[in-house]
Amino acid sequence: MRKTLHLVFLACAVHSVTALEWPVAEPVPSSFFGQRAFGIIERGIVMDKVDTIRSSDNGSLMLTLKKNKNMSGFPGTLGNAAIIAHDEGLITIYGNLDSVDRISELLTLESGTILGTAGTSGWGKPASCIFQVLDGEKHTVLNPLLLLPQLSDTHGPAIKDVIVIASNEQIYALGTTKSVKQGKYKLYADIPDTVNASSNSLSPFRITIEVNGSEYSSIPFELLKETNGELYLSEINFTWKNLYRDPVRIYLGELSLTRGRADISIIARDTAGNEHSVLFGLQID
Amino acid sequence: MNIKGNLKYVIIGSILFLLIYMFIAAIPMGSDIYFEPAWTVDITKPVTTDPAKFKDTSLEGFSLGNRFGYFTADGTILSSTETDERVTVSPDAWARYPENADTTDIFNPDGSKRMTIAASGFTHLDDGRTYLFLPGGDAVSQYDDTGKKLWTREHTAPITAFNSSPRGTIIGYADGQVTAMKSDGSVLFSFYPEGSDYQVIMGVALSEDGTLAACVCGIDKQRFLLIRITNGQYKVVFHTWLEGNLHRQAFVDFEKSGAYAFFEYSHGIGIVDCVKRSANLIPSEGEVVNMGEYPGNNLFLALVKNGTSYTLEAIERPNHLLATTRFTAENAFLIQRKEAVFLGMDDRISRINIRGIK
C-alpha cells in the first residue's frame, strides 16, 4: 500500500509541476496509454475527430518528420509529425498531421501554437491525433494523462471475464468456480474503462491485485521503459507479449495459491479516481 | 652589334619559347560536363505487359506521385499503376496498403503474390530486405522472404532516422540514440552520441559491408559522426561540427564501396572521405532527395528539392559543382546504378547520360 501511495503522490507532484494543455480542443480519446493497440502497447493517447492540433506547452521545435514518398525515406507510422522539447527534458510528439510546412520555420513555440490539422499521414484513422510524452533525460515514455488536465470522467473501469489458468492449462472462471487445487495460476481479466457512455474502450490507470487483503501485485499505467529492445509497463515482465497474450483479457500476474481460503480482489482505478473492485472467494484444496 | 643579323634568332627563339611554354605551362581546362537525356517515357500511357520482360536484370521499380510500377534500363515501362494507397517498391517486390494496414500482401514485379505480412503497420521494401514499421512510431520489425518475422526492436522514443544495407539495419531516435543491428537482430552497437544541447538523430547510414556507420545528430551544435565497426566494437573515428541546425530529417548515405559518405546539413551537402577522414561542404539550398555516385570518376550526383523546384547537381570530389540542371515538378526521384542515371519527374521517367567526362 505504501508503494501505491508513493506512486500516486509522485503522479500528483509531476502533475502540478509540469502540466500540459490538451493538444486538441475537444479530446475524444480512442486509445489510452498502456492499452492493447494493434500489436503494441499504446505509447500515448490517440484522439479521434480532431481538427486543429496545438502545442501543449511552451517549447522548442526539435524536429519535424515527414511522410515519405517517391522512393525516399522510410514510412514512419507517426506520418507528418512535430517533436517539441520543453523544460526539464520533457518532449511532446504530435503525429498524423496533415503537413508540417506551417511549423518548419518556427523554432520557438508557445503553448497553444497551431501545429496543423489532423490528416491521414500516420498509421490509424483519418483525422486522428497521436499524442505522446517522453522523458528525454530518463529515456521513458510517460502517460500523458499524468500531465494533462483531467477529462470529465464519471465512469469507473469495468472488470469482466476473470479467469485463472492452471499450469496444466485448465481454465477456471472466477465467480462460478468455488474451489481449485493448490498451485500456481495465471490471472486474467478484461478491464475496459470509459470516460462517458459513448466513449471507446480505454485502459485504466492502475490495476491492483490483493490476496486475503494484502497487495499481491500492481500494474501502474504510468510509464514505459525499455530493456533489450523491448518496452515494458513499469515492471520488466509487463511487456506486450506478457500483458496481452490473451486476445481479449489482460494478464494480471501469477498467483501462488496454498491450501485454505483465498479471497482474490481486483481493484481497477482510472486517472479521475473512479474505482471498481471485485472480490472472488476460493477454497484451495 | 649587328641587330639585323640577330633579329632572326630573336624571333625564332621567341617562337620556340612560346611553343615550349604552351606545352609546359598549360593548365588543363575543366571538363564541360552536361546532362543529356537518352530516353524519356510517359508513365501515364497504357502499358502492354510482357511477362517475360519482368525477368530483365536491369528491372527498376518506381513510385512517383500516385503511380508505381517497373521499367527497364532501355526505357520500356513494364507496369504503371495508379493508386491512392501507400506504396513501397524495390527492384524485386512491391506492396501497397491503406493508412491503417492490419496485414499487407507483397507481390513480385510481375504481380504474382510473394508473401503476406500479418501484422499492423507500414511495410518498407529496401533492396531485398522487408521491414514493418509498427504503430506508435518507435518500433520496427524485419521479415524474411516468406513473411516470417526475424526480429522486432522497440525504443522509448520515435524513430527519426533509418537505413539498411546487406549487413544490417541502423536506426536513429528522437531521444538521440543510434542503434545498429545485424540481419539477425543482434545489436552491433547502441549509444547516445551527445555533445549537443538537444539530443536527436536526423539521419543515419550503414555501409554496404557493415564496417562503417554515419549519422547527423543534435541541435545547437549539430554534428556529423563517422563510426567504424570492427569485431563487435564501435569507435567514432571522425566527427565534424556543422554550421546551423537542420530541424528535419537529413539525408545520410554511403557510396557503395564505403570510401565516401554523403550527408545533408542546414547549408548544403557534405562529402566525407572515409579513408582520409575529412569532410568537404558544398553550399546548396533545399532538401536532398537522393544521391548517387558515378563509377571511377569521383563524380557524385544529387537531386535537391526546394518547394516544387528540383536541381540535379553533378559534384566532383572534393567539392566542385560541375553541372546543374533545374526543373519544376510536384514529385521526382533519382536512381543511379553505376553509369545509369534515372530521373523521375511527375508523369515521366528519363535516363540521363552524363557527357563531357574525360
Side-chain angles (χ1 to χ4, degrees):
Chain A
M1 186 58 81
R2 182 187 289 177
K3 190 179 170 189
T4 306
L5 288 172
H6 173 71
L7 288 168
V8 171
F9 172 77
L10 183 70
C12 293
V14 171
H15 197 289
S16 63
V17 174
T18 53
L20 302 174
E21 295 299 325
W22 282 93
V24 306
E26 292 175 10
V28 180
S30 65
S31 186
F32 267 174
F33 180 90
Q35 78 183 62
R36 184 196 309 268
F38 305 98
I40 60 152
I41 298 175
E42 179 59 62
R43 274 47 167 167
I45 300 174
V46 179
M47 290 157 277
D48 287 348
K49 300 172 187 168
V50 171
D51 185 16
T52 304
I53 299 172
R54 297 170 185 271
S55 173
S56 58
D57 195 8
N58 301 332
S60 305
L61 179 70
M62 285 174 68
L63 191 67
T64 55
L65 306 178
K66 262 191 179 177
K67 174 184 173 179
N68 74 316
K69 62 176 187 175
N70 301 329
M71 308 183 68
S72 65
F74 64 94
T77 51
L78 294 175
N80 295 322
I83 301 175
I84 299 173
H86 308 280
D87 290 342
E88 298 173 21
L90 211 63
I91 297 168
T92 54
I93 294 149
Y94 312 79
N96 201 33
L97 296 166
D98 62 337
S99 163
V100 287
D101 293 342
R102 177 195 286 266
I103 51 166
S104 58
E105 300 299 322
L106 293 177
L107 297 183
T108 305
L109 299 108
E110 293 180 355
S111 182
T113 299
I114 293 175
L115 305 176
T117 55
T120 57
S121 59
W123 193 93
K125 289 184 199 166
S128 62
C129 169
I130 305 164
F131 180 63
Q132 299 173 357
V133 181
L134 313 181
D135 182 334
E137 291 173 358
K138 292 180 180 165
H139 303 294
T140 55
V141 188
L142 301 175
N143 186 342
L145 291 174
L146 290 168
L147 304 162
L148 290 165
Q150 185 62 57
L151 281 174
S152 174
D153 180 0
T154 53
H155 288 60
I159 301 172
K160 304 186 291 185
D161 299 331
V162 185
I163 58 167
V164 288
I165 301 179
S167 47
N168 64 359
E169 301 301 316
Q170 179 73 43
I171 299 170
Y172 300 94
L174 296 191
T176 55
T177 302
K178 299 297 175 196
S179 65
V180 295
K181 288 181 180 171
Q182 68 172 348
K184 290 187 174 177
Y185 293 85
K186 291 184 169 64
L187 178 64
Y188 295 84
D190 181 17
I191 307 180
D193 184 33
T194 52
V195 292
N196 56 51
S198 61
S199 90
N200 292 293
S201 178
L202 305 164
S203 65
F205 181 63
R206 174 175 289 273
I207 303 168
T208 305
I209 312 302
E210 291 180 1
V211 177
N212 294 331
S214 299
E215 185 175 311
Y216 195 86
S217 67
S218 180
I219 305 175
F221 291 71
E222 289 169 357
L223 52 89
L224 284 164
K225 296 179 187 173
E226 183 219 317
T227 182
N228 297 324
E230 191 171 18
L231 295 195
Y232 61 93
L233 200 60
S234 302
E235 284 186 28
I236 205 152
N237 57 334
F238 293 141
T239 60
W240 158 263
K241 283 181 205 154
N242 279 335
L243 278 177
Y244 297 116
R245 58 176 84 173
D246 182 277
V248 177
R249 304 173 186 90
I250 184 169
Y251 172 63
L252 301 173
E254 189 173 65
L255 301 173
S256 188
L257 301 177
T258 53
R259 216 179 289 268
R261 177 87 188 160
D263 288 330
I264 301 166
S265 295
I266 302 173
I267 305 147
R269 194 170 70 83
D270 63 23
T271 46
N274 301 305
E275 193 172 284
H276 181 210
S277 64
V278 289
L279 174 66
F280 302 99
L282 280 178
Q283 181 61 42
I284 314 302
D285 300 327
Chain B
M1 195 175 183
N2 183 356
I3 295 173
K4 276 189 179 175
N6 290 335
L7 187 60
K8 62 181 177 186
Y9 296 111
V10 171
I11 292 167
I12 291 167
S14 300
I15 291 168
L16 279 172
F17 174 78
L18 280 170
L19 285 170
I20 291 165
Y21 180 82
M22 280 169 67
F23 284 101
I24 291 176
I27 297 170
M29 291 179 70
S31 302
D32 285 330
I33 282 179
Y34 60 95
F35 302 115
E36 181 187 73
W39 49 254
T40 297
V41 289
D42 185 339
I43 60 171
T44 63
K45 284 187 176 172
V47 176
T48 308
T49 301
D50 177 3
K53 278 272 189 183
F54 283 103
K55 294 186 172 67
D56 193 315
T57 54
S58 69
L59 202 65
E60 289 290 350
F62 73 87
S63 165
L64 193 56
N66 62 352
R67 279 191 173 272
F68 72 98
Y70 285 89
F71 66 96
T72 59
D74 64 4
T76 306
I77 299 290
L78 300 180
S79 65
S80 178
T81 306
E82 197 168 7
T83 181
D84 291 329
E85 292 189 307
R86 288 168 176 272
V87 169
T88 177
V89 183
S90 70
D92 64 335
W94 61 270
R96 62 177 169 182
Y97 47 87
E99 285 104 6
N100 55 353
D102 276 335
T103 179
T104 303
D105 289 333
I106 297 177
F107 298 90
N108 294 308
D110 63 6
S112 57
K113 190 173 163 185
R114 172 180 280 208
M115 61 176 169
T116 298
I117 302 294
S120 300
F122 291 163
T123 301
H124 179 53
L125 302 170
D126 191 4
D127 278 338
R129 297 172 292 279
T130 303
Y131 296 94
L132 183 74
F133 288 83
L134 277 60
D138 60 32
V140 61
S141 303
Q142 186 173 3
Y143 287 77
D144 70 8
D145 288 343
T146 64
K148 181 187 162 199
K149 186 161 65 180
L150 298 172
W151 52 261
T152 296
R153 181 121 195 135
E154 298 179 300
H155 185 54
T156 50
I159 297 169
T160 53
F162 179 90
N163 185 255
S164 76
S165 86
R167 302 307 295 270
T169 305
I170 186 165
I171 309 169
Y173 296 96
D175 68 347
Q177 189 189 82
V178 180
T179 298
M181 287 166 297
K182 293 182 192 170
S183 306
D184 64 2
S186 59
V187 175
L188 279 166
F189 68 81
S190 184
F191 78 117
Y192 290 86
E194 300 186 335
S196 308
D197 289 357
Y198 295 101
Q199 314 308 320
V200 58
I201 307 299
M202 277 73 189
V204 288
L206 189 67
S207 65
E208 286 281 299
D209 65 2
T211 61
L212 288 171
C215 76
V216 171
C217 58
I219 287 181
D220 290 344
K221 292 205 298 187
Q222 203 158 73
R223 64 177 176 154
F224 169 86
L225 298 182
L226 181 67
I227 301 149
R228 177 162 290 284
I229 309 158
T230 43
N231 301 325
Q233 303 287 316
Y234 74 94
K235 185 181 179 185
V236 176
V237 291
F238 172 76
H239 88 111
T240 185
W241 299 107
L242 303 171
E243 194 180 339
N245 287 307
L246 207 58
H247 287 270
R248 58 174 170 78
Q249 291 162 299
F251 179 88
V252 182
D253 206 357
F254 282 97
E255 174 247 350
K256 206 159 184 95
S257 73
Y260 296 96
F262 315 115
F263 69 88
E264 187 180 10
Y265 74 111
S266 66
H267 297 321
I269 296 166
I271 297 176
V272 175
D273 186 326
C274 300
V275 179
K276 294 179 182 170
R277 294 172 189 172
S278 61
N280 284 285
L281 304 176
I282 300 154
S284 180
E285 279 189 20
E287 295 174 33
V288 174
V289 175
N290 200 5
M291 287 187 74
E293 78 274 8
Y294 205 84
N297 293 286
N298 295 325
L299 187 70
F300 305 112
L301 289 187
L303 181 64
V304 180
K305 178 181 189 286
N306 201 349
T308 56
S309 173
Y310 285 82
T311 308
L312 181 62
E313 301 178 348
I315 301 158
E316 187 186 40
R317 187 177 63 87
N319 59 354
H320 300 128
L321 191 59
L322 290 179
T324 63
T325 186
R326 282 194 169 78
F327 59 92
T328 301
E330 288 293 325
N331 299 286
F333 67 71
L334 169 72
I335 299 172
Q336 185 161 4
R337 307 282 185 203
K338 297 182 178 174
E339 289 87 356
V341 178
F342 304 107
L343 195 62
M345 296 162 283
D346 287 339
D347 58 358
R348 60 195 186 279
I349 298 172
S350 298
R351 177 169 175 161
I352 307 291
N353 289 331
I354 302 175
R355 298 296 185 202
I357 297 173
K358 289 174 181 169

